[in-house]
Amino acid sequence: MGQELTRRYTHVEAGLVENVVIRQTTDTDAYPSGWKYTLHLGTLEDLTLIRYDNAHEDTKGHEHHTAAGDTDVEFPGMEELLVEFWASADEYWDAIGGSPPRSY
């Protein structure tokens, strides 16, 4: 499976951890979107606050995980999904005065 790492970072601050891994892939059987990704914000106690992933895209599609549960979502494109994730995560970071290093 050919994968090119597009973006990867982990930021830990004030009890929260933001982890982003995005790879462009040529394995379109497993990842029809052409991307393999995990966009995660959670606590150091392993509580997922927000996570978007396509770990099982070929069978389950794209998923949005929160502490309240999981839902399937439409994939708007990688850039749009990353912007949506950052906007949602910023609500948590703003509440604690956190500042993850991002390139936007």
Side-chain angles (χ1 to χ4, degrees):
M1 168 174 25
Q3 295 184 351
E4 178 183 325
L5 184 61
T6 304
R7 179 181 300 267
R8 178 184 203 137
Y9 69 87
T10 300
H11 179 73
V12 179
E13 183 178 350
L16 296 181
V17 60
E18 182 170 306
N19 184 51
V20 170
V21 179
I22 302 170
R23 294 182 184 272
Q24 200 163 16
T25 181
T26 57
D27 182 0
T28 54
D29 289 334
Y31 302 98
S33 67
W35 297 96
K36 180 179 179 183
Y37 64 88
T38 300
L39 315 174
H40 175 83
L41 177 71
T43 69
L44 293 177
E45 289 80 31
D46 290 329
L47 175 65
T48 295
L49 301 172
I50 306 163
R51 185 174 73 243
Y52 290 93
D53 69 51
N54 66 336
H56 309 285
E57 182 180 346
D58 58 337
T59 58
K60 294 173 70 178
H62 301 266
E63 296 179 297
H64 180 216
H65 306 269
T66 67
D70 305 337
T71 57
D72 294 334
V73 295
E74 291 295 319
F75 181 67
M78 197 66 251
E79 184 175 338
E80 293 87 349
L81 188 61
L82 185 58
V83 167
E84 184 176 326
F85 168 74
W86 281 341
S88 297
D90 279 349
E91 294 180 26
Y92 290 94
W93 288 116
D94 290 347
I96 63 163
S99 180
R102 299 185 188 141
S103 59
Y104 61 91

